[in-house]
Amino acid sequence: MEYLLHINGKWTGEALDKNPVLNPATGEIITKVPKGGRIEALQAVEAAHHAFEEWSGTTAYERAKLLKKYSNLIIDHEQELAELMTTEMGKPLSEAKGEVHYAANYIEWYSEQAKRIYGETIPTHDKNKRLQVWKKPIGVVAAITPWNFPAAMLTRKMGPALAAGCTVVIKPSKETPLTAIKLVELAEMAGFPNGVINIVTGSSKEIGEVFLTDPRVKKVTFTGSTEVGKTLMRQGADTVKKLSLELGGHAPMIILNDADLQKAVEGVTASKFRNSGQTCICGNRIYVQSAIYDQFIEVFADTVNQLRVGNGMETGIDVGPLINHAGVEKVNEHVLDAVKKGATVVVGGEQPEEKGNFYKPTIIKDANPDMLIMREETFGPVAPIQKFETIEEVVKLANDTPFGLAAYVFTENVSHGTRVIEKLDYGVVGWNDGTPSAVQAPFGGMKESGLGREGGHQGIEDFLETQYVSIGI
Ligand code: NAP
């Protein structure tokens, strides 16, 4: 298959310069994709703008039917999509298959939610007036997505946007454009009209600038780093662009003395090593209360020692490569800094022999807040552990960061769990649960981790305008 731009129902961009897409497990070039820029972004925005009138005029039932068909097509192409994802992103094939289902579920859930976009009737203060609230699709939506969940981060935006009656222009990450292009091809097969879904690969700077400054784009929905999110906010100021930002995290995982140890180890392992630690909600700092500190590390180390590192296309692999060499360098820097500042490596702590972009699943103990790894998002398979004594102390440590995306608490004591979680400034909390994401639940961050929520009934609100209508009768 040739991977091209999709603008107004046409596959295009053959004549443009091309960017290579690399397999992070082997370093090989998989294929090349067109290097679109300002011109192609403007064409895509024009197509989406033109298509909006007709698409927004369809009934919720018509949109629901198409979305449902689209979701089924994604499931039908599970194997192909998962292989593509593993090849360009590196995650083990079983995880990639899981993501394909998760991605399809967003489309399916919002196919149903399309039928539940309700307005309101407000009791009137005047016998000759009727007060109503109408909901309208916001308009053209630009979606910018990251590489770590190339399918789900896209459908989490497309699902509600299309269900609401918006048209979409997409810019995927340069690291993982193939999964996104394949998803657009499947949308075309489902029968979405020309211009409703468009995709442009290429220069993020040029394409992003068009998305953030063109007045025809009514909303930009972005998932990625906090740094880029802040740039987009500044760029969007002149057109007062409506923004949803799903940004970086630095998740604390708190294990209290009264935790079920096995549950805690399973939860921390799932959160920390899924996707090689490259998820925005993965545990970045692990705080274990003093009475179970040594025991937790022992059981955790036994579990982590069994994880198999390698090319995600091979069977039995738990931890694939990091996305690129810069990712490996950051992990190395965090580990070396921690060791220099007094931490001890319990498991891993280096690259395996076949170097490439791989890093061994790692546990570090006796971490402290001065270490880089306890202050910044690591985005790699390293679990630093710090000991604490009291609940008050750990809540302070957990909240001492500009990030506020996900946090985790492990305790069997309802009072302790409730008291800790009430004090945590985090948008998503897993209580005895290392994998809290669900399509039907609101996902998003507090503080510098973002604006808005994706998923759940809340997730469609960002794609709707509220119009208050006062009717004199
Ligand atoms: P990133 O570097 O911020 O890139 C994200 C997307 O933004 C990519 O498509 C990228 O394109 C594009 N981009 C980069 N610079 C841009 C600019 N100046 N204007 C417009 N677009 C621009 O993040 P990433 O490395 O792909 O993803 C990892 C980050 O995403 C982590 O911080 C992670 O925590 C966060 N994340 C958050 C969530 C959440 O739901 N909160 C979910 C997943 C990931 P190019 O790649 O083509 O440059």
Side-chain angles (χ1 to χ4, degrees):
M1 172 180 170
E2 197 177 4
Y3 293 90
L4 294 171
L5 316 183
H6 192 66
I7 300 175
N8 204 23
K10 292 206 171 54
W11 293 98
T12 177
E14 297 93 329
L16 293 169
D17 286 349
K18 301 265 175 20
N19 277 331
V21 183
L22 303 178
N23 179 333
T26 62
E28 284 161 8
I29 295 178
I30 307 164
T31 184
K32 293 183 177 183
V33 295
K35 204 171 175 179
R38 184 181 153 71
I39 293 172
E40 293 71 29
L42 283 168
Q43 288 168 349
V45 168
E46 171 56 27
H49 178 67
H50 184 74
F52 178 70
E53 193 170 338
E54 210 171 311
W55 179 245
S56 59
T58 55
T59 68
Y61 284 80
E62 288 168 311
R63 296 196 295 275
K65 209 168 150 192
L66 265 181
L67 282 162
K68 177 75 182 151
K69 190 172 170 198
Y70 182 29
S71 157
N72 288 338
L73 276 168
I74 295 174
I75 300 288
D76 291 347
H77 288 77
E78 177 203 38
Q79 186 71 21
E80 190 185 349
L81 277 163
E83 283 178 12
L84 202 54
M85 196 188 300
T86 296
T87 312
E88 67 174 344
M89 195 270 138
K91 69 178 63 178
L93 193 61
S94 56
E95 277 188 36
K97 284 184 183 172
E99 186 184 335
V100 171
H101 279 263
Y102 183 45
N105 287 346
Y106 275 110
I107 302 291
E108 188 196 36
W109 202 83
Y110 283 104
S111 76
E112 291 154 359
Q113 200 62 12
K115 303 171 200 164
R116 297 182 191 106
I117 300 171
Y118 301 133
E120 266 180 73
T121 302
I122 304 173
T124 186
H125 57 290
D126 181 333
K127 273 194 246 168
N128 298 319
K129 285 189 183 190
R130 298 293 178 267
L131 315 184
Q132 295 189 354
V133 177
W134 295 359
K135 293 282 182 178
K136 304 168 77 168
I138 197 165
V140 173
V141 169
I144 305 178
T145 53
W147 49 262
N148 62 345
F149 287 91
M153 295 303 97
L154 182 53
T155 58
R156 195 160 84 173
K157 300 177 186 312
M158 282 167 81
L162 295 167
C166 299
T167 53
V168 183
V169 288
I170 300 160
K171 198 218 80 68
S173 165
K174 62 179 174 308
E175 314 277 1
T176 56
L178 308 183
T179 307
I181 293 172
K182 184 72 201 171
L183 282 170
V184 172
E185 190 193 292
L186 294 176
E188 190 186 30
M189 276 169 73
F192 286 93
N194 291 348
V196 171
I197 300 169
N198 309 274
I199 185 166
V200 184
T201 53
S203 162
S204 50
K205 205 158 171 279
E206 284 188 32
I207 299 165
E209 200 172 315
V210 169
F211 286 179
L212 270 299
T213 57
D214 193 308
R216 291 169 299 180
V217 175
K218 295 294 186 277
K219 156 113 199 159
V220 175
T221 167
F222 170 77
T223 300
S225 61
T226 296
E227 190 191 345
V228 173
K230 287 180 182 177
T231 304
L232 303 186
M233 272 186 109
R234 283 189 281 267
Q235 279 182 323
D238 280 346
T239 51
V240 194
K241 201 68 79 197
K242 306 280 186 300
L243 284 175
S244 297
L245 302 173
E246 292 288 351
L247 307 178
H250 185 42
M253 303 193 89
I254 299 170
I255 296 132
L256 300 184
N257 285 338
D258 43 28
D260 173 323
L261 201 65
Q262 201 52 41
K263 233 190 246 178
V265 166
E266 278 167 22
V268 174
T269 306
S271 169
K272 181 67 256 183
F273 296 104
R274 188 169 62 113
N275 212 4
S276 303
Q278 302 170 112
T279 81
C280 53
I281 59 165
C282 71
N284 214 84
R285 319 167 260 157
I286 298 158
Y287 299 107
V288 183
Q289 206 162 6
S290 52
I292 57 159
Y293 186 73
D294 292 331
Q295 203 192 348
F296 174 83
I297 291 173
E298 198 180 313
V299 182
F300 187 37
D302 278 350
T303 306
V304 173
N305 266 321
Q306 287 163 33
L307 297 175
R308 280 193 58 205
V309 183
N311 186 329
M313 290 301 283
E314 290 165 19
T315 41
I317 293 299
D318 303 296
V319 178
L322 296 177
I323 188 69
N324 53 32
H325 191 60
V328 179
E329 279 181 349
K330 185 169 189 191
V331 170
N332 255 325
E333 185 196 358
H334 278 199
V335 172
L336 293 176
D337 172 80
V339 170
K340 204 170 93 189
K341 292 176 181 159
T344 304
V345 172
V346 180
V347 177
E350 58 186 2
Q351 288 194 257
E353 266 151 40
E354 14 110 27
K355 289 202 166 178
N357 293 330
F358 295 95
Y359 200 90
K360 285 186 183 171
T362 296
I363 300 176
I364 289 174
K365 69 173 182 178
D366 301 338
N368 69 54
D370 292 336
M371 298 170 181
L372 278 179
I373 201 163
M374 300 305 272
R375 309 215 68 83
E376 289 178 12
E377 196 178 29
T378 307
F379 245 50
V382 185
I385 308 179
Q386 179 175 345
K387 193 190 283 184
F388 72 92
E389 298 294 338
T390 67
I391 284 182
E392 294 68 31
E393 177 195 355
V394 79
V395 165
K396 218 167 153 196
L397 284 166
N399 283 337
D400 182 20
T401 170
F403 297 107
L405 186 56
Y408 301 84
V409 180
F410 291 86
T411 172
E412 295 298 306
N413 182 311
V414 175
S415 307
H416 287 165
T418 307
R419 283 189 204 292
V420 172
I421 293 167
E422 279 176 355
K423 296 269 185 238
L424 290 177
D425 300 329
Y426 287 84
V428 177
V429 179
W431 180 350
N432 294 336
D433 182 4
T435 51
S437 305
V439 298
Q440 67 274 34
F443 183 100
M446 296 183 187
K447 292 157 66 177
E448 292 187 20
S449 285
L451 291 177
R453 292 293 180 270
E454 290 187 333
H457 68 85
Q458 295 88 347
I460 205 162
E461 287 300 322
D462 274 355
F463 299 98
L464 295 166
E465 281 287 15
T466 297
Q467 189 172 46
Y468 162 57
V469 183
S470 175
I471 311 169
I473 56 168

